[in-house]
Amino acid sequence: MRILIIGSSGLLGSDLVEQWADDEVIPATSSDVDIRDVRLARQFITQVRPDWVVLAAAYTDVDGSERNREQAFAVNSEGTRNVARVAQELDRKLFYVSTDYVFDGKSHRPYEPDDPIHPLNVYGASKAAGENAVREESKHWLIARTSWLFGVSRASFPEKILRAAACQSQIRVVADQIGSPTFTRDLAIAIRDLVRSDARGTLHITNSGSCSWFEFAKEVLLKAGRKTSVLPITTAEADRLAKRPAYSVLSPASITVRGVTLRSWQEAVDAYLAELRQKGKMGW
Ligand SMILES: NC(=O)c1ccc[n+]([C@@H]2O[C@H](COP(=O)([O-])OP(=O)(O)OC[C@H]3O[C@@H](n4cnc5c(N)ncnc54)[C@H](OP(=O)(O)O)[C@@H]3O)[C@@H](O)[C@H]2O)c1
């Protein structure tokens, strides 16, 4: 198959490109195609003629989206609609990556794909609009919601914690938001397998288990052998611009029935740290 990966320079996109063996992969960054422009999207996708378009490009700055609503919607909603429309014109299949932030966090059990969505922030609303655009424009689509991504290709939460620990004696981390950290290597493999099996519909893909950001930070520091103390704080104390769901754990049921399971987030942290060491990125 020919697989076009839009957003190939991103945290997830980079791992998608690296993990996707045995198919012909065409990576595309924003300088190859700006998805906000439907003419550019049409020109590019027509030229590539992929079997699947994997859309991993997004405006992902959650607090920045509160200040730049227009930009968040231009990329995540209209950009997604452009890609979905063109993919459908050419009769191509579409994979869209979405987020746990489409939920409001009021649930007391892991979210299933068909639970009602109710985003709390602009980023979540723009991604929810992107999901709707995919469902409206495309006939053959797969939407995967995921959460709390970490990986080695771009600085993500664990790396920021390790960097902070290198220069501060104590770090403060939010303890009242619960979710599932997800290693982009594991997510990339799951996406590849689901696309290969021609899956459709809305699915939830994360590493197994859940924790708070505080527990995530403690696990990373413990396994990296850092003694820096971590102080739990509340979401209110963190005083971020965008509201975030207090609980956004995604149920794995929709992928386990398709024979896909991801290891625990703690095992994924081990693999992530091993990769950081191997790449000589633990020097702080
Ligand atoms: N990060 C998370 O914790 C998280 C959690 C849940 C879901 N997700 C979803 O997972 C997906 C991947 O996220 P990520 O964290 O890997 O993203 P990322 O690292 O921020 O990368 C975003 C990618 O989108 C590209 N892009 C941005 N604007 C574009 C445009 N107008 N046209 C074409 N490409 C554009 C960027 O290209 P350039 O580098 O060339 O600008 C980059 O490759 C997104 O759909 C995101 O919503 C992320």
Side-chain angles (χ1 to χ4, degrees), residues 17-251:
V17 173
E18 278 192 32
Q19 296 295 151
W20 210 305
D22 300 332
D23 284 306
E24 190 186 351
V25 171
I26 295 98
T29 68
S30 62
S31 46
D32 298 309
V33 56
D34 184 337
I35 61 170
R36 292 171 299 178
D37 184 333
V38 71
R39 282 174 309 126
L40 290 179
R42 185 172 290 114
Q43 200 176 14
F44 189 78
I45 299 171
T46 304
Q47 195 187 333
V48 172
R49 292 215 161 254
D51 296 293
W52 278 86
V53 178
V54 175
L55 182 55
Y59 180 80
T60 56
D61 182 345
V62 177
D63 292 312
S65 296
E66 300 295 311
R67 287 184 296 267
N68 298 309
R69 186 186 173 86
E70 255 178 51
Q71 171 74 343
F73 272 82
V75 179
N76 298 344
S77 172
E78 288 318 307
T80 300
R81 185 173 295 282
N82 292 339
V83 172
R85 185 167 290 167
V86 172
Q88 187 53 40
E89 284 168 7
L90 299 168
D91 201 18
R92 308 291 130 163
K93 300 171 185 176
L94 177 63
F95 185 102
Y96 178 61
V97 187
S98 189
T99 171
D100 55 329
Y101 282 10
V102 297
F103 294 114
D104 64 14
K106 297 201 171 114
S107 179
H108 297 291
R109 53 141 181 91
Y111 283 99
E112 297 295 343
D114 53 4
D115 281 334
I117 62 168
H118 182 224
L120 296 179
N121 55 43
V122 171
Y123 167 73
S126 68
K127 294 293 293 184
E131 287 191 8
N132 287 338
V134 168
R135 295 189 188 101
E136 284 162 16
E137 301 289 342
S138 171
K139 287 207 172 77
H140 193 129
W141 53 267
L142 180 54
I143 294 173
R145 298 192 188 116
T146 188
S147 62
W148 296 24
L149 295 188
F150 65 101
V152 299
S153 63
R154 280 191 180 191
S156 51
F157 177 79
E159 185 174 327
K160 288 175 190 163
I161 290 295
L162 288 167
R163 282 183 187 277
C167 57
Q168 295 167 30
S169 56
Q170 186 182 64
I171 50 179
R172 293 150 46 91
V173 184
V174 170
D176 59 358
Q177 290 170 31
I178 308 296
S180 298
T182 303
F183 187 29
T184 45
R185 288 260 179 236
D186 294 347
L187 177 59
I189 291 168
I191 290 175
R192 183 198 64 195
D193 292 349
L194 288 160
V195 163
R196 284 237 182 91
S197 69
D198 214 28
R200 294 185 187 208
T202 306
L203 308 177
H204 285 173
I205 316 177
T206 67
N207 278 115
S208 310
S210 58
C211 62
S212 66
W213 291 109
F214 169 73
E215 290 165 321
F216 188 10
K218 295 254 290 183
E219 181 82 7
V220 170
L221 292 175
L222 179 77
K223 287 185 164 159
R226 304 290 159 84
K227 303 243 175 320
T228 313
S229 80
V230 189
L231 187 71
I233 61 166
T234 64
T235 298
E237 285 171 308
D239 195 24
R240 304 287 293 269
L241 201 52
K243 281 191 190 156
R244 283 153 168 90
Y247 178 90
S248 61
V249 180
L250 303 177
S251 164

